[in-house]
Amino acid sequence: MAGSEIPQSSALSEAHGDSLGELFSRDPEGYSQQDLDRVVGALREQRERWVKAEAEAAAKPKGRQAKVAVLATQVANAEDLGL
Amino acid sequence: MSEANSLDTSGNSSFSRLLPGLQLAIDSTSLGEFKTCPRKYLYRVVLGWTPRAESVHLTFGILLHQARELYDHLRVDGRSHDEALRQTVHRALRDTWNSDLQRPWISDHKYKNRLTLLRTIVWYLDEKAREDVLQTVVLANGKPAVELSFRFDSGLTSSTGEPVLLCGHLDRIAKLGDEAYIVDIKSTGGTLGPGFFSQFIPDNQFSLYSLAGRVAFETPVAGIIVDGAQVAIGFSRFERGLVGRSAEQLDEWLEDVSVWIGQMDEAARNASWPMNDKACHHYGGCPFRPVCSRPPGARQQWLQADYTKRIWDPLRVRGDI
């Protein structure tokens, strides 16, 4: 039945928006190095998005800055992650 | 006040053996509590009561400081930035995990929670520690100059004839060029800028640190640098600022301290720590307000029900000198 097995890929789980939430809900004693890299990677990605949004907000005319800043703060919400 | 009438502070090494309730080794927290409200100082420092539910700001601040401390140890041990960061993150994750209940630390604060803590650690270390112009001093024993305990003679003598020490713990000493600075992290839910840094001049804690930096270490420090960390829902932002003190300002602070220490002495002699009811609502409310709002005869019962004992002894050494 090897041919009928569902292909496994860590990329699939990484694609989930709540993968950080899933990690955060687990006992960190059992974390692998990959788990830790995923946490650090996800948080660094958030920073990149925030820096980009900040730069874009700074470049926009003043009236639009507030709206863009609000969007930037929605990068990650603790409640969305079940924390 | 039943407990205050039969004081026993013999289990706390910072207190006099001759007069119970008289503190002889005073750190900025003890002094700050007394300045704020002598009754609060009685509950928290003399009697060692603390709320069962710790303040989220205190928890967040301690975890952030511990992260920086561990990171510095790992870097001095030769780990790369990424490896030190990974281990620091792992430690923070474990420190915010309740293994008994098998669940993470739950904070009801909008800004300060487990996720924002981890995010602040990663963003802060990437931005301010990876290639920091402030190089953490390495001590003669090969360890980084972090969580340094200090103590020095204030030059004052108590009514019992015992010397009064000033003491505490510094976060980190780092070099910028040829000059040494005390570096401290302060997190806030507010915005950073001149207004944020101006709150530290004058400031009880940093005045004591400045004084310690001049008299308690072999190499006098040039000043205090604050790494401000703004923690918001979706981002953490950092700004660095210099918090200076002139020699005259420190002399003035020390003169004032002698007055405060005299009042602490008097309170212990009279076994009387008055309530400052103008400070009950500061900083979101005093944690002992629920106790003080009860009739005097009912307070001991409230303390025993909602608070727990944790001795505040500033002479306990944390790091390496």
Side-chain angles (χ1 to χ4, degrees):
Chain A
M1 298 289 284
S4 64
E5 280 176 8
I6 297 169
Q8 299 295 310
S9 165
S10 60
L12 285 174
S13 62
E14 282 166 16
H16 283 289
D18 63 350
S19 61
L20 194 56
E22 184 273 322
L23 270 173
F24 270 36
S25 65
R26 274 173 35 200
D27 186 342
E29 280 301 335
Y31 274 31
S32 65
Q33 185 154 317
Q34 275 180 324
D35 290 334
L36 290 169
D37 286 341
R38 279 171 61 200
V39 172
V40 172
L43 294 171
R44 279 177 168 164
E45 216 176 280
Q46 285 182 11
R47 183 166 177 242
E48 281 167 21
R49 287 204 298 270
W50 176 72
V51 168
K52 196 177 161 199
E54 280 268 291
E56 283 172 5
K60 300 251 181 198
K62 276 214 162 178
R64 290 181 57 85
Q65 279 189 14
K67 195 175 175 186
V68 177
V70 168
L71 288 173
T73 62
Q74 292 172 350
V75 174
N77 186 318
E79 286 170 13
D80 293 341
L81 294 166
L83 300 173
Chain B
M1 296 280 286
S2 57
E3 216 181 348
N5 294 336
S6 54
L7 270 181
D8 178 11
T9 45
S10 59
N12 190 329
S13 67
S14 69
F15 278 78
S16 167
R17 294 290 167 272
L18 304 176
L19 178 60
L22 175 62
Q23 195 172 13
L24 296 172
I26 299 164
D27 67 333
S28 64
T29 299
S30 306
L31 184 59
E33 296 290 40
F34 187 85
K35 285 178 177 179
T36 303
C37 172
R39 185 66 56 83
K40 187 182 180 200
Y41 166 81
L42 168 71
Y43 287 144
R44 183 163 178 219
V45 181
V46 180
L47 300 176
W49 287 110
T50 188
R52 285 191 192 278
E54 197 72 86
S55 147
V56 64
H57 302 289
L58 188 61
T59 304
F60 194 96
I62 288 171
L63 291 166
L64 188 57
H65 281 92
Q66 285 176 344
R68 174 77 216 210
E69 184 189 356
L70 175 62
Y71 174 86
D72 279 317
H73 274 286
L74 292 165
R75 290 305 305 271
V76 168
D77 279 351
R79 309 296 209 294
S80 68
H81 168 75
D82 281 346
E83 178 54 27
L85 176 62
R86 193 186 296 122
Q87 287 194 37
T88 302
V89 163
H90 199 188
R91 156 84 179 271
L93 283 162
R94 283 181 305 207
D95 286 348
T96 50
W97 182 262
N98 186 328
S99 51
D100 293 332
L101 300 175
Q102 280 296 298
R103 71 173 194 204
W105 165 50
I106 293 170
S107 157
D108 57 2
H109 197 272
K110 192 164 60 164
Y111 298 152
K112 294 183 176 177
N113 52 53
R114 194 174 189 230
L115 173 68
T116 61
L117 172 73
L118 268 296
R119 184 193 65 208
T120 302
I121 290 170
V122 172
W123 292 22
Y124 172 69
L125 294 177
D126 272 353
E127 186 180 320
K128 294 290 181 203
R130 190 201 300 255
E131 290 166 2
D132 198 350
V133 289
L134 286 169
Q135 292 293 307
T136 302
V137 168
V138 179
L139 301 169
N141 61 9
K143 292 184 176 175
V146 292
E147 275 300 305
L148 292 172
S149 298
F150 69 85
R151 68 183 71 168
F152 59 93
D153 195 331
S154 69
L156 301 169
T157 306
S158 71
S159 60
T160 56
E162 299 165 280
V164 178
L165 303 178
L166 291 171
C167 60
H169 309 282
L170 301 175
D171 268 12
R172 180 165 79 105
I173 295 184
K175 280 214 159 180
L176 180 64
D178 290 333
E179 296 207 288
Y181 289 86
I182 294 165
V183 188
D184 205 335
I185 312 172
K186 292 286 180 197
S187 63
T188 176
T191 53
L192 298 174
F196 172 77
F197 292 101
S198 69
Q199 71 180 297
F200 302 116
I201 309 173
D203 174 76
N204 179 59
Q205 180 189 16
F206 284 159
S207 291
L208 176 56
Y209 285 7
S210 295
L211 197 60
R214 296 194 183 195
V215 303
F217 298 96
E218 272 182 32
T219 312
V221 300
I224 295 177
I225 291 174
V226 174
D227 275 351
Q230 179 188 352
V231 183
I233 294 175
F235 67 88
S236 300
R237 192 199 302 270
F238 311 98
E239 209 171 300
R240 194 165 263 176
L242 183 65
V243 178
R245 295 283 190 284
S246 68
E248 290 86 354
Q249 283 174 310
L250 289 179
D251 285 345
E252 181 189 36
W253 184 82
L254 197 54
E255 269 179 42
D256 288 350
V257 165
S258 71
V259 176
W260 286 109
I261 288 175
Q263 290 183 20
M264 290 168 93
D265 196 310
E266 191 184 343
R269 273 187 280 123
N270 297 331
S272 174
W273 289 266
M275 201 186 287
N276 175 11
D277 55 13
K278 294 297 285 181
C280 301
H281 302 282
H282 291 177
Y283 305 110
C286 173
F288 293 102
R289 195 162 49 89
V291 176
C292 294
S293 64
R294 308 284 160 194
R299 288 177 192 154
Q300 189 64 30
Q301 210 175 345
W302 276 87
L303 282 167
Q304 280 165 346
D306 290 348
Y307 298 77
T308 185
K309 286 269 186 173
R310 195 175 303 156
I311 291 178
W312 184 264
D313 185 349
L315 284 181
R316 283 192 192 158
V317 176
R318 289 185 195 164
D320 306 277
I321 296 178

